[in-house]
Structure formats: C-alpha cells, structure tokens
Amino acid sequence: MFQHQARPVARAQASRTAGSALPADESPSTDILDSWARCVDAGLDAHAAPRLPVVAGGELRRRREQADYVRRLALAELETLFHQIAGSNFLLAFADSEGVILDLYADNRFAMSSSGETIRAGSQWTEQVAGTNGLGTALAAGKSVAVNGPEHFFARYDAISCTAAPIRDAGGAIVGVLDASSYFESRQRHTQALVQMASAHIENLLLVHQMEAAIVLAIHPRPEFLGTISAGLLAFDAGGRLCACNGRARTLLTGLPARRGAAFEQIFAEPYGRFLARLEGGADICLRDVLGSSLVTSWVNRGPALSGTRPVAAAPAPAAVAAPNFVADDPALRSVLELVAATVKLGSPLLIQGETGSGKELLARHAHELSGRKGPFVAINCGALPRELFEAELFGYVGGAFTGARREGYQGLIASADGGTLLLDEVRELPLPLQSALLRFLDDQTVRPVGGQKARRVNVQLVAASNADLDGEVARQRFRADLLYRLNTVRVDLPPLRRRRDFAACVRFALAAIDAQASISDAAVSWLKGYAWPGNFRELRSVLTRALLSQPTRRIDLAQLPALLAAPRGAGADASALRQGATEAVLREFERSGRSVSRTSRNLGVSRTTVYRHLREGNVLPPPG
C-alpha cells in the first residue's frame, strides 16, 4: 500500500507550507497518509483556501427531519460531551452521512477564532471539499479517526485538532458522524475515546429502536458489562436468524458467521428454542459459541416475535435454582446450576468435578432437590469403603453370601436410592472390577446382589463426583474409559473458592452458618481473598470458627487474622498471597480514607506501623533509610 501512495503523498507534502511540517516524532498514521493520497487524487491544492459548500436553510431543515431519530440521540450525546470537555476551547458537531453539519456546540473562543469561522451548521466537510479533517476522514475511512494540527490537508486548519467517529445503523450503514474539535495546543488525549463511546452508545440505542420487532440480546464474557457500551448486541427474528449486530458483537464473535441471515445454531452451540426457554427465566445466563468460548447473555428487547408463545422446559432463574444452603452469585456457578437443572430433568448421569471442599456434595443434594424425585438422597464415599466390601455395599447381598454377612441379607446402597439420587463421591476410588459392574448397571438399571440370582430393576439419578483428573486416570489405566464416557454424559466443574467472584458473599454466608450474630469487616474479607484456600469451604469455616473463638465481640477484624491463617506452603513471607491480599486491603482503605495513615489505621484496626509497612510494600511510600 505504501508504495502505491508514496508518490501522491510526496506531492501533497511538497505542497504544504514549510512552517507547517509535522515534528519528526509525530509521523502521520496510515489513516492520514491514505487521506492525503485521496485528497491529491481529488485534485485539491493544500496551499489554497478550501471552498466549503453550505446548504440553504430549507435544505438544512429537511436534512434534520430526515435524520430525526438519530439526530435526537446525537444531541443528547453532544450535551453529555459538552460537560465532559468544557473549558478546553472546543467545538462539538453532528453531521449527516454526507458530511453536512446539522448541529454544533462551540465555546466563544473557538467560535470567534479564524479557524472556527467556517465551521457552522449547514457547511459540508467531506474530504473531497475540505481535505483531511476529522469529520470528513471518519466518513471516508468508515471508522474513528483523529486529525491533529498539521495532519490536516489544508494548511488553514493547522491550528485545529479534531477527532470524529461515524455512527452506523442496525444494517451497518453510516447515518451520521460525531466530531469534537479544539485548538491543537490544548488537545486532550482522552477526547477520541469519549467521542467513540458516544458514537457506540448512539449505535446501540439505534439498533434496539430499529429492531423493535426482533429479539435483541446483549452478550459479554463478564456479566457486569452486559448493561454497558462494551456489550455486544445481537438481534434475531422468531426463527433464529440474525437480523443485526453491533461492532462489539462482531469483535466478540470473531471467526464466527455473525452476519445477517446466519442461523443461531451456526453461532452458538445450542438450539434456538432451548436457548429461549432458558432465557425466559429472566436472568443472565451462560451461552457457549460453537468454538467453545463462554459468554453471558440477557434480554435487551423481547420483541413481539415471541408474543403469544410460551416456552417449554424453561430453566429456573439463578435465584430460584440456588439452594438455600449455599451462595450462588458467581457467574460460573450460576451457569453450573442451570446445566444441572437441565440434566436432572432428563435423568442423565451427572459428573461433578472440583477441588476438595468446593461443595460437590452440596451441589449433588441440590441436583436431587431439582429433580423432584421422591426417593432418598444416598451419598457414598468411595474412598471410605473397604475394597473387599465394595460390591456388597453397592449391590447388596443375600443372607449367608459370605462370612460375616447378615442372615437377612442387605439390599445395597444403589437399591436403597431407588426413586431418588445416588452420589458416588470420589468415584475414582472404585476398584476396576467394580467399575465394570457399575457400567453394566448404568446400561440396564438393574442390580444383582452378591450371591443372588434374581436381578432387581431400580431407578436412580446417578451423580458422580471427583477431585481428580479422571482423564489422567484413564491414561494411567486406573479408570475405565468406557465408564468415564458414560459418567461424563454431562460434566460440570465447580470453581474453587479462590476464583469465586462472590467470595465476600461466601465468607459472610459461612460466618452466618457458624454464628448468625457474628460479623466481619470488609478489610478482613479483602485480606482473606488473598489466600489460596487449598481446602476451600472446609478450610474457610475452620478459619472463621477459630477467629470467632478468639474474639468475644463476635466481630472479625483484619488485625486478628494473620495469627490464625498460615501462609501457603512454599511461599516466602514477603511474596505470600496473604501478605499481598493484606497490602491490597490497606491500599484500598488508604485511598478511601483520603490517603490518611491515621484514619486508615483506625478504620482497619491495625497499628500505624503496619499501615506504613504495607504502603511501602505497595510502592506508595519509599522504603525506609
């Protein structure tokens, strides 16, 4: 590209006045070079005075009426920008797709300058007539641009810096452009970001307005961004065909056919109808694209496309499916709960993987509650049963089947869970011969007691749990691959405590379970978050219990925690996760307290010396000496 444009660009540069050359460290960007080349090709003379067309009053009114809705949105954004950059000798403008300025705001200094005289409502600023400039170049390039001082093609505008961003409708067509201009010497680096944000906000509102008859969804990897301009927007018709999407959605779905007419199933790994049924629960839900990436989505506009329809098999909202005995405010866990709810309704085997103490049995009990089964919940710790009694404990035995057997026999744990849920915890501990027997049971749902001839048919919801890598166990020939395939019909992974986004809620929930009247400070919670928690909730409950026993006021503060919780093994004292968490907590309180050491010390309940030490470790203060 550069060789193609080098000659016309050289001609453009040669026509500039000697005094307007750009500094050596501010070489023009590719966007500016491309624009200069277009200006030269259009026959513009950089040394001449530009002749800008100005539409008559009647034509200006017609253009404003034609752009009515997007213009109203733009005016609201210009009002916001006016307050954001006020005091910097600026001009704000909204122009239509042909570069005609429909509205502008300018402070008096800029409006009365020689540079601002020609910038007025009705003037046209396309590259073909105004040369390289923010508004015209944004339209020509179809993207946000910044043109600073001497980067303008015409020397007349060397004193101005301007940044502009086009506005696209739901179909991707440019329907307007926002521009912010100021004096070159008073330009602000954040202005372009503000203009881009304003343009994105308009585009999102415009898409929702134009797609009011469609189903509009917001998507983002993180749920807290669903209601912001960082969210991608997708509009689908009632048949699941993509009608429109914004630029952010195209970025989030890079590599996928996010184009008009694409089927929902071409983009996401789920049938459209089932997705809508889940979404009817009214909460943010997890959605995976066909490449395996996880997103969170929520309604933006339901549209009349669903009017009169009633979704089937809708999964309950997270608040509804969350059992009352554990916290479920983490997005990853909410996704797990939704998948568990769908699995038990089908009666499919469920495999729960997670670290020790992460709540696998709690989730299994919750699955039992969701299933609606009337039978009991039976949990078996496969690592706690004697190996020689595994088969008899699981499948039962007839009287006298072996030495020590009860005369009346024993129905077995599987049969005792008939009509309910059977949890096989630490399933990797099953001996290989018994794995084969379990596989047979999964195939025909019948059990034959040890020493017996008659098989009994049972109906259980099977849940297996493990903190081990079962794929690795298969590779080491310690676990049957065919059994793993059967258990792994649906697999969920419980996030460890250290990765839970609802960590603070988990701490307070666990504390309330120990003592409903106890409390813990925010600083203490922040400090605890810095620990690795290899024992997860079991370890957390132990630490909180010890903290309460040492605190007669029933309030846990930061000062008492270091003595109760040892640093993680293998971590040095200065580099430990605990110390890092404590330092972060002190730094946050230091800023919140107006950078006052005494108030930080008082609020956290620690000595001033401790505060100073953490401020030094956080590089807020220089080291002593």
Side-chain angles (χ1 to χ4, degrees):
M1 177 186 291
F2 182 80
Q3 291 180 344
H4 171 73
Q5 67 187 15
R7 185 175 178 184
V9 168
R11 288 169 55 196
Q13 289 176 309
S15 67
R16 302 300 307 274
T17 58
S20 64
L22 285 167
D25 61 344
E26 294 189 23
S27 301
S29 66
T30 301
D31 289 335
I32 299 301
L33 293 175
D34 288 343
S35 176
W36 285 356
R38 289 192 296 268
C39 293
V40 171
D41 290 342
L44 299 182
D45 181 357
H47 195 64
R51 296 172 179 260
L52 302 183
V54 179
V55 302
E59 174 64 10
L60 180 60
R61 285 193 297 273
R62 186 193 68 79
R63 286 176 178 267
R64 284 174 171 171
E65 291 172 359
Q66 187 176 17
D68 178 55
Y69 188 77
V70 66
R71 177 174 175 252
R72 280 187 277 137
L73 296 177
L75 288 175
E77 292 300 322
L78 290 180
E79 187 75 28
T80 301
L81 286 171
F82 179 88
H83 295 291
Q84 288 175 327
I85 65 176
S88 57
N89 303 317
F90 64 92
L91 176 143
L92 303 173
F94 167 65
D96 63 16
S97 60
E98 295 179 352
V100 175
I101 294 179
L102 302 185
D103 300 279
L104 57 81
Y105 292 86
D107 69 1
N108 290 333
R109 283 188 58 189
F110 191 94
M112 293 186 296
S113 70
S114 59
S115 299
E117 290 174 352
T118 56
I119 307 177
R120 58 193 180 96
S123 57
Q124 188 174 31
W125 285 79
T126 57
E127 272 190 350
Q128 290 84 351
V129 295
T132 303
N133 71 93
L135 194 155
T137 302
L139 286 173
K143 62 180 180 179
S144 172
V145 297
V147 181
N148 294 312
E151 291 180 340
H152 286 85
F153 185 81
F154 285 108
R156 179 186 180 94
Y157 304 123
D158 281 0
I160 300 176
S161 282
C162 48
T163 179
I167 301 167
R168 297 181 183 272
D169 65 9
I174 295 177
V175 292
V177 60
L178 290 181
D179 176 273
S181 300
S182 65
Y183 292 140
F184 180 44
E185 67 273 9
S186 61
R187 68 192 189 279
Q188 299 180 14
R189 294 188 180 276
H190 67 270
T191 301
Q192 185 172 13
L194 292 175
V195 173
Q196 286 176 310
M197 290 169 63
S199 173
H201 191 210
I202 295 171
E203 288 182 344
N204 288 352
L205 293 173
L206 190 58
L207 185 147
V208 174
H209 173 73
Q210 294 178 323
M211 293 290 111
E212 60 183 357
I215 300 159
V216 182
L217 309 171
I219 60 171
H220 198 278
R222 297 170 60 181
E224 61 267 31
F225 289 100
L226 284 177
T228 72
I229 59 172
S230 297
L233 296 184
L234 298 167
F236 290 93
D237 62 21
R241 294 286 174 178
L242 186 64
C243 304
C245 66
N246 65 357
R248 181 59 177 154
R250 284 189 290 272
T251 299
L252 290 172
L253 300 174
T254 298
L256 296 169
R259 57 179 179 271
R260 186 180 179 87
F264 182 88
E265 292 81 4
Q266 291 179 276
I267 303 172
F268 300 108
E270 182 174 0
Y272 187 54
R274 189 170 71 187
F275 164 74
L276 291 180
R278 287 202 298 132
L279 199 58
E280 273 295 303
D284 305 343
I285 66 169
C286 186
L287 180 64
R288 290 190 180 276
D289 63 35
V290 295
L291 298 180
S293 297
S294 181
L295 297 165
V296 182
T297 183
S298 65
W299 293 107
V300 175
N301 177 46
R302 302 167 73 89
L306 291 181
S307 60
T309 64
R310 297 184 64 84
V312 295
V321 301
N325 58 342
F326 63 89
V327 178
D329 295 331
D330 179 84
L333 184 56
R334 290 203 301 264
S335 176
V336 165
L337 294 179
E338 290 162 2
L339 185 53
V340 167
T343 301
V344 296
K345 288 185 183 301
L346 296 175
S348 300
L350 175 67
L351 175 61
I352 303 174
Q353 297 235 237
E355 295 180 4
T356 297
S358 58
K360 295 187 293 296
E361 183 172 342
L362 277 177
L363 182 59
R365 290 183 180 277
H366 179 56
H368 174 63
E369 294 171 8
L370 289 175
S371 71
R373 289 173 171 266
K374 304 303 182 183
F377 175 86
V378 178
I380 305 171
N381 187 334
C382 298
L385 290 176
R387 287 182 173 267
E388 62 274 11
L389 297 178
F390 251 121
E391 187 172 5
E393 288 289 342
L394 279 184
F395 296 99
Y397 55 85
V398 297
F402 53 86
T403 302
R406 288 185 295 186
R407 180 177 301 178
E408 66 275 17
Y410 172 61
Q411 68 172 347
L413 292 170
I414 291 179
S416 69
D418 192 14
T421 299
L422 177 70
L423 168 64
L424 296 178
D425 198 9
E426 302 308 332
V427 68
R428 75 161 174 174
E429 299 297 333
L430 283 173
L432 282 171
L434 196 55
Q435 291 178 27
S436 177
L438 179 61
L439 183 61
R440 288 195 303 271
F441 164 71
L442 292 175
D443 287 337
D444 59 19
Q445 292 281 296
T446 61
V447 293
R448 180 179 289 106
V450 175
Q453 300 296 321
K454 186 177 181 180
R456 172 184 172 182
R457 191 170 188 84
V458 296
N459 180 7
V460 300
Q461 168 67 57
L462 182 68
V463 181
S466 177
N467 62 5
D469 174 15
L470 293 182
D471 292 312
E473 294 294 288
V474 169
R476 289 185 286 272
Q477 298 185 338
R478 297 175 184 169
F479 202 85
R480 290 182 61 113
D482 47 4
L483 177 58
L484 179 58
Y485 297 149
R486 195 70 172 83
L487 294 176
N488 204 19
T489 302
V490 177
R491 166 180 164 171
V492 295
D493 292 90
L494 272 179
L497 181 59
R498 62 183 172 276
R499 295 180 188 164
R500 293 278 294 262
R501 294 187 187 177
D502 56 354
F503 179 84
C506 290
V507 171
R508 290 188 165 87
F509 189 90
L511 182 61
I514 300 169
D515 184 345
Q517 303 302 316
S519 63
I520 184 170
S521 69
D522 291 341
V525 172
S526 296
W527 190 85
L528 290 172
K529 188 172 176 60
Y531 183 60
W533 297 108
N536 291 286
F537 283 94
R538 289 196 187 102
E539 187 177 13
L540 173 64
R541 285 190 289 270
S542 297
V543 170
L544 294 177
T545 300
R546 292 199 303 272
L548 282 178
L549 291 174
S550 66
Q551 184 56 269
T553 64
R554 301 163 83 181
R555 176 171 175 80
I556 301 174
D557 291 312
L558 173 60
Q560 68 190 103
L561 291 178
L564 297 172
L565 191 60
R569 287 179 296 176
D574 292 334
S576 72
L578 289 175
R579 185 177 294 277
Q580 181 181 353
T583 297
E584 290 174 355
V586 170
L587 293 180
R588 281 194 295 271
E589 184 60 30
F590 181 64
E591 295 296 335
R592 196 183 71 82
S593 302
R595 301 177 70 84
S596 167
V597 172
S598 60
R599 282 199 294 271
T600 302
S601 171
R602 184 169 57 254
N603 294 343
L604 294 180
V606 298
S607 69
R608 292 165 61 92
T609 302
T610 299
V611 173
Y612 279 119
R613 186 181 73 247
H614 286 296
L615 292 179
R616 284 192 291 270
E617 291 180 0
N619 297 318
V620 175
L621 295 178

